Amino acid sequence: MYERLERRIVAILTGLNLRRAVGLIVATATTLALTAAVIVRIVDPAIGTFGDALWWAVTTVTTVGYGDVVPESTTGRLVGAALMLTGLGLI
């Protein structure tokens, strides 16, 4: 099963040109930010609105992190840590 998945991923990645690679990175970052915003909005009461959650997720995945919106719960901070590491991986 893992060999099939690996072959598919390798086939997709070897066929990438610059335009497709940038599109893949942008799509991945967008998906990560939206997913993290939904999760942190659900688990962290310090994040008031979905707009705040989305702002936090975008600034976190891009590694800017202004600090105006921060999660206070342990679960929210774990989501933030995972998002930061993934954002660094995208760079």
Side-chain angles (χ1 to χ4, degrees):
M1 179 173 153
Y2 292 114
E3 291 91 19
R4 271 185 21 192
L5 179 62
E6 183 181 0
R7 280 190 301 235
R8 275 184 97 178
I9 291 172
V10 167
I12 290 169
L13 293 178
T14 54
L16 287 179
N17 57 22
L18 181 62
R19 183 176 183 173
R20 287 185 180 171
V22 169
L24 180 62
I25 291 168
V26 168
T28 303
T30 302
T31 302
L32 286 170
L34 287 172
T35 303
V38 169
I39 292 171
V40 82
R41 176 64 183 104
I42 291 169
V43 300
D44 201 316
I47 309 293
T49 65
F50 181 72
D52 287 343
L54 190 57
W55 173 251
W56 168 82
V58 168
T59 60
T60 302
V61 79
T62 59
T63 68
V64 173
Y66 290 118
D68 55 344
V69 179
V70 292
E72 293 178 0
S73 71
T74 302
T75 307
R77 290 180 180 184
L78 289 173
V79 171
L83 189 58
M84 283 184 258
L85 293 173
T86 307
L88 287 172
L90 287 174
I91 292 174

